[in-house]
Amino acid sequence: MTLHLPGADGALRAYEPRTEPLALTPGAPLTSRTVFSAAHVVADPYADTTPDSPAAVDWDATLAFRRHLWSHGLGVAEAMDTAQRGMGLDWAGAAELIRRSAAEAKAVGGRIACGVGTDQITGGTLAEVRAAYEEQLAVVEESGAQAILMASRALAATAQGPDDYLEVYGHLLRQAAEPVVLHWLGPMFDPALEGYWGSSDLDAATDTFLEVIAAHPDKVDGIKVSLLDARREVDLRRRLPQGVRCYTGDDFNYPELIAGDEQGFSHALLGIFDPLGPLAAEAVRVLDTGNTEGFRALLDPTVELSRHLFQAPTRFYKTGVVFLAWLAGHQSHFTMVGGLQSARSLPHLSRAYELADGLGLFPDPKLAEERMRTLLHLYGVTP
């Protein structure tokens, strides 16, 4: 049945939803690439919250979504940017999320890595930043999960130059029990991270980043790069010490970076693999057979949706991710912690629906259509 979707120009356009989903079922474990989906959290829609109150999470639905990702062979990157760290989910909520998800991963045999940051403080001395990192690192290691050292707003505000980054990260890597993933999140995802690694000159910042890794290669499993610059990621990937992986976080250019070239490839840790989970896993299984063309044929058509969700202001991509999870039937509502469901416009969400439906991402296209129609009615759209 025809939907009338509002465009950016304010005009309604007719859209005919597809009737059959893309057939995607769990398959063999992934072998040629290590792939993490940075997973969103499901809010409790019945909680009596205000914008400044602690996040209220629907734990059953949140963990069910992680089981969905694990069932398709993906790892879960937990308590990351996609889970609204610093944008609705505070450290107390993140700590509980880490503990619950790590226990669930152990129960089902799923792979999990968890974000370690400093979001229990907003600033302070370098010693206080180190202590905040150490507190979170202890929680992740005690849960049995791999640690991802996330970029820190507090460190960005406190550090006076590259040497402060070298000191803080060196201290953390020396005490880490197991190799960690280092995360470089660009300012397009979080403006407070401008000038990370001690410089707004990305070449200089890259040199400092690599210096940290070179000093402790045995403690760095890999790096997660979210700069939305494919050329820079490839150049950085080629300069890594032997055995240190590159996990692409480039939600604009991921197919080419995962496919790689004659000199190497990127693994993946991506927010877009939250809505694309089953399709991404199927594409990587095709790549596992050596069929790069087949991999690109499956994944390249998804880039338009990803670029739409991650368009500026990029940090609000989480709204589109949760919106698609609601349309796909993974949760019963479109409510987000911190009220972030209001961060994107109806034309933006309408286009996200159209692109995702065109890809066949919704297991039940009829349900997605009905929910989209409900949202349109809520906004007063009547053809």
Side-chain angles (χ1 to χ4, degrees):
M1 188 174 178
T2 302
L3 286 174
H4 292 84
L5 305 177
D9 60 358
L12 296 179
R13 65 184 186 281
Y15 176 72
E16 297 294 334
R18 68 184 291 161
T19 58
E20 296 295 331
L22 193 63
L24 296 168
T25 56
L30 311 183
T31 57
S32 66
R33 304 290 188 274
T34 300
V35 181
F36 289 97
S37 166
H40 74 279
V41 293
V42 183
D44 178 355
Y46 304 124
D48 184 11
T49 60
T50 64
D52 294 327
S53 63
V57 177
D58 180 336
W59 294 112
D60 289 341
T62 293
L63 294 176
F65 188 76
R66 280 133 184 82
R67 291 193 297 272
H68 155 72
L69 295 172
W70 284 319
S71 75
H72 286 275
L74 300 169
V76 168
E78 188 57 276
M80 300 290 291
D81 187 53
T82 308
Q84 295 182 242
R85 287 291 291 270
M87 290 185 69
L89 185 69
D90 59 12
W91 166 235
E96 185 171 2
L97 177 64
I98 288 166
R99 294 186 181 103
R100 287 176 178 259
S101 291
E104 195 73 15
K106 188 178 298 183
V108 304
R111 182 166 185 167
I112 189 168
C114 298
V116 171
T118 63
D119 45 331
Q120 68 270 57
I121 63 172
T122 57
T125 65
L126 286 181
E128 289 169 332
V129 171
R130 285 198 306 270
Y133 263 129
E134 289 170 341
E135 178 189 356
Q136 296 201 15
L137 179 61
V139 169
V140 171
E141 290 186 337
E142 289 166 4
S143 77
Q146 184 179 16
I148 303 170
L149 294 187
M150 302 169 66
S152 161
R153 291 176 180 173
L155 180 56
T158 302
Q160 298 300 305
D163 288 346
D164 288 341
Y165 288 89
L166 293 170
E167 192 277 327
V168 169
Y169 277 90
H171 179 86
L172 294 169
L173 290 172
R174 283 190 294 273
Q175 66 177 281
E178 300 291 340
V180 307
V181 176
L182 296 180
H183 185 192
W184 185 357
L185 191 69
M188 67 288 292
F189 288 92
D190 187 344
L193 299 177
E194 178 65 45
Y196 212 74
W197 305 110
S199 178
S200 294
D201 180 325
L202 289 180
D203 291 335
T206 297
D207 289 342
T208 302
F209 187 42
L210 288 169
E211 189 174 346
V212 169
I213 299 164
H216 308 276
D218 59 320
K219 287 297 187 73
V220 181
D221 165 69
I223 62 170
K224 195 264 191 179
V225 188
S226 299
L227 298 176
L228 303 183
D229 184 335
R231 183 72 260 163
R232 183 170 293 278
E233 179 174 320
V234 171
D235 291 342
L236 177 55
R237 185 172 78 196
R238 292 174 179 171
R239 296 173 64 188
L240 291 174
Q242 185 70 29
V244 176
R245 308 181 194 196
C246 180
Y247 294 94
T248 187
D250 188 331
D251 300 278
F252 283 6
N253 304 293
Y254 50 94
E256 65 187 82
L257 291 164
I258 297 170
D261 55 29
E262 67 282 355
Q263 297 185 50
F265 56 83
S266 294
H267 299 271
L269 197 165
L270 288 161
I272 192 57
F273 281 5
D274 179 304
L276 292 183
L279 178 54
E282 181 62 25
V284 175
R285 276 191 284 270
V286 171
L287 187 60
D288 290 343
T289 69
N291 184 356
T292 302
E293 289 185 0
F295 165 79
R296 295 294 298 267
L298 280 171
L299 214 53
D300 282 359
T302 68
V303 171
E304 185 178 6
L305 170 63
S306 188
R307 290 189 174 219
H308 176 74
L309 295 180
F310 285 78
Q311 67 182 220
T314 302
R315 62 189 181 278
F316 295 123
Y317 75 87
K318 297 94 162 171
T319 300
V321 165
V322 175
F323 172 65
L324 294 182
W326 172 57
L327 294 182
H330 294 297
Q331 55 194 81
S332 62
H333 59 87
F334 178 36
T335 303
M336 298 176 67
V337 298
L340 209 62
Q341 68 272 11
S342 65
R344 291 294 201 189
S345 69
L346 182 62
H348 177 91
L349 297 175
S350 296
R351 181 60 176 159
Y353 162 74
E354 184 178 2
L355 291 170
D357 184 65
L359 291 168
L361 294 184
F362 302 128
D364 183 345
K366 185 64 176 177
L367 174 66
E369 176 191 340
E370 290 172 353
R371 289 185 169 182
M372 188 66 219
R373 195 180 303 280
T374 297
L375 185 71
L376 292 169
H377 286 170
L378 178 64
Y379 275 79
V381 176
T382 54

